Amino acid sequence: MASWRLHGADHAGNVLPGAVFGPILATDNIGSVRVIGRMLSGAMPGTPKIGLEVVDVRDLVDLHFER
């Protein structure tokens, strides 16, 4: 609501992604990244066929900070 007061209700909105992903900054083989990769590639047995609202972190930044 504070953003609505700052920018006016006609210029503000809400973004509620199911998951936010982006470039990996660590060089280690991170377990959570492997799990997501296996789910997306279909390599994980028993993965349900569900939709997931995924947003790239860079797009989310662009929404918050108009460049």
Side-chain angles (χ1 to χ4, degrees):
M1 294 298 194
S3 66
W4 289 12
R5 287 192 298 273
L6 179 63
H7 298 289
D10 58 336
H11 289 87
N14 296 319
V15 177
L16 184 59
V20 179
F21 297 120
I24 306 300
L25 300 178
T27 57
D28 297 337
N29 196 358
I30 301 170
S32 60
V33 174
R34 283 196 322 264
V35 169
I36 298 297
R38 290 182 66 213
M39 286 177 63
L40 294 175
S41 70
M44 182 180 286
T47 302
K49 294 183 180 185
I50 58 172
L52 182 63
E53 300 82 18
V54 177
V55 175
D56 188 300
V57 69
R58 294 164 290 190
D59 293 332
L60 197 57
V61 169
D62 285 341
L63 284 174
H64 282 82
F65 303 99
E66 297 177 29
R67 298 180 192 188

